[in-house]
Amino acid sequence: MSDINSTNPMSLGRGICIITGASKGFGRVIAHQVSRSLEPRSVLLLVARSGTLLQEMKEELQSFIEGRQLVLHCITVDLSTKEGVDETVRVARQEAVDEIEHVLLINNAASLGNISKFETFTNPDEVNSYLSLNVSSPLALTAGILQLCPCRPGLRWSVVNLSSTLALQALPSWVLYCTAKAARNMMFSVLAKEQQNVKVLSYSPGPMDTDMQKEILRVTQVNHNPLPCHESAAKLMKLLLDDDFPSGAHLDFFDV
Amino acid sequence: MSSSQRADLGRALCIITGASRGFGRTVAREMSRLVKPGSAMVLTARSGEDLRALQAELAESEAGRAGLKVQCVPADLAQMEGLLSVVSEAEAAFSEHIDHVILVNNAASLGDVSRFTRTFTEMAEVDSYLSLNVSSCLCLTARILQALPSRPGLQRSIINITSLCALQPFCSWALYCTGKAAREMMFRVLAAEEPDLRVLSYSPGPLDTEMQAVARSSTADPDLRKTFSDMFAAGQLLTCEASCAKLMKLLLEDSFTSGAHIDVFGPDHCVP
C-alpha cells in the first residue's frame, strides 16, 4: 500500500535516486532540486570523480538532508571504468531497501570530446575511450541499476538520459559528441520499448552556464546564450513530477 | 521525370569491408562489373581464405580479365594494425588515373540479440561492440579521406551500410540499434562537413544472409523473432543481389542528397 505522501504530486516518493556527474554543472543543480522532492528515508547517491567537490555538496546539503531524514552517499569513482560502475551499483544495491517506492537514475555524466573535423579522428583509442564513457558506461550503469531489486507493484522506475539537440541534429566538427548522443538516444529508446514498467526520458537541457559550455565557447568561439542550470533543472523536475511524458520520448527544454 | 544515370562508376578504387561474405561480397561482385578497366578493389574481412576465394573468382571474371586489380587484406578493423593495413593497401592501389574513390563501410556484427538491454552490465562487452561497429568505421573513413584527399576530377563516395534499426528501436536489439544510430549520425556529420563528398547511408533490407539466420534463431523478443521467421518461411527475404542492384542504381544515378538514409524499399518500410 502506498503511503499518503507518495500520492502527493509534488513528490518523487520514497526513492533511491542516483545522479552521475553530480559534482558540477547541471548534475549538481539537479541533485539539489531532486532532494527537495524526495520523501523522508529516501536515498540520494551522488556520483562523480571529484571527492572534494562531492564533499562540498555534502556540506551544502547536510542540514537539509538531516531535516528531511534523507540518506546521502557520495561515490567518488571514475565511471569510465568497470570498477566505477560496479561500485555505484554496489552502493545502490546496499541502500535499496524493501520499502523503496521509486528508483530514479539520472545519467548526466558526460564529456565534450574533441571538437574537430571528422577526418582528424584517425586514432581508435581516442574514439573508443570517448564512446566508453559516454555510451557504454551509462548502458552498463543503467543495466546494473535496473537489476537492483525485483519488479513489484508499487515500485516505480525512472531513467533519465541527459541528451542534447545534437542527438538529433548533425553539426560539423562535432562528430564525437553527436555520435554518442545519437547512440544514447537510441539505446534508451530500445530500453523504453522493452520495459513498459520503466519510464525513460531523454532530456535535452539546452545550453547552460557550466564548465562544459565555457569549453565550447573557448574551442568554437560560439556563444549559445546559456541558461542558468536551475531553470533547466526545474523543467526536468516538472517532467519527472508530472510523469505524463511517453516513455522513450526525447524532450527539449525549449519545447516543454 | 527521367533520372539520368551514368553508365559506370568510373575508373574507381573501391574499398569494401566485410567483403568475404553476405552483402559485402555481393557488393564486390556487382561493383566489379560497373567499374572501368584500370580500376582497383581493396577487399577486407577477417577471413583471409574467403577473401582469396573471392579474389580468384573476380580474377576469372570479365572485369578481372580486362585488368581489374583486386587486393585482399585479411584484417580485424577494430585493431590499429588492421586499420593501417587496409589504408596502406588503398594508398598503394591508388593512382592518378583513378577518378572515383568508393568506400563501402559494410563490416558489422549483430551483437547478442538473445538478451535485453537490462542485461548489458559489462562495459567491456559494449566497448568491444562499439569498437568494431562504430569506432573502426569512423577511423577507417577518416584515414581513407586523409590518405586519398580531394582533388579536381576525383569523386569520393562514402557508403554506410545501415538498417532501419538506425532509425527505430527494436526490442532485444540494443547493441545493433545503438551502433547503427551512432553510424548514421556520424555520417550525417561527415556529409554536413564536406559538401564535396558523396555520403550515403544505404539500408539494404532483410537479406538472406548468415546475419539474418542468427537474427531469426536468436532474437529474444518473441514478436520480432516471429516476424523474421515468417519472412524467411514466406520467401520474403531479399537476395543480396536484388538489394545490391538498388544500391548500384543509386550510385550510378548519383542524385541522392549527401548524408541521406535510403532504404531498399523506400520511405515507408518498417521491418529491419
Side-chain angles (χ1 to χ4, degrees), chain A residues 117-135:
Chain A
K117 286 203 156 284
F118 186 108
E119 232 178 78
T120 63
F121 292 99
T122 53
N123 183 355
D125 286 344
E126 178 184 7
V127 183
N128 284 333
S129 164
Y130 185 80
L131 295 177
S132 188
L133 173 63
N134 291 277
V135 185

Side-chain angles (χ1 to χ4, degrees), chain B residues 156-272:
Chain B
R156 299 185 300 167
S157 301
I158 309 289
I159 321 294
N160 165 34
I161 301 303
T162 186
S163 166
L164 188 59
C165 293
L167 309 179
Q168 276 181 35
F170 288 89
C171 294
S172 67
W173 280 44
L175 292 184
Y176 191 77
C177 288
T178 298
K180 289 308 191 202
R183 289 165 65 119
E184 185 93 8
M185 173 56 83
M186 196 164 107
F187 287 107
R188 282 173 54 200
V189 173
L190 179 60
E193 275 184 30
E194 303 292 334
D196 292 343
L197 283 182
R198 303 290 291 137
V199 181
L200 173 63
S201 283
Y202 177 68
S203 177
L207 302 174
D208 191 3
T209 59
E210 284 174 49
M211 184 180 271
Q212 185 60 227
V214 174
R216 69 178 168 268
S217 64
S218 308
T219 292
D221 181 72
D223 293 335
L224 189 55
R225 194 170 66 248
K226 182 171 194 313
T227 302
F228 290 137
S229 302
D230 289 353
M231 278 197 299
F232 175 69
Q236 286 169 349
L237 294 181
L238 292 178
T239 59
C240 291
E241 288 73 19
S243 183
C244 192
K246 166 94 184 207
L247 173 58
M248 295 303 115
K249 184 167 195 291
L250 288 165
L251 295 179
L252 291 170
E253 282 172 359
D254 197 25
S255 58
F256 56 87
T257 303
S258 190
H261 174 110
I262 301 183
D263 188 283
V264 65
F265 293 131
D268 299 320
H269 186 48
C270 51
V271 179

Side-chain angles (χ1 to χ4, degrees), chain B residues 8 10-12 32 34-40 63 66-69 97-98:
Chain B
D8 56 61
R11 199 166 296 110
S32 72
L34 293 173
V35 297
K36 297 220 292 249
S39 292
L68 173 70
K69 294 191 190 38
H97 308 292
I98 297 285

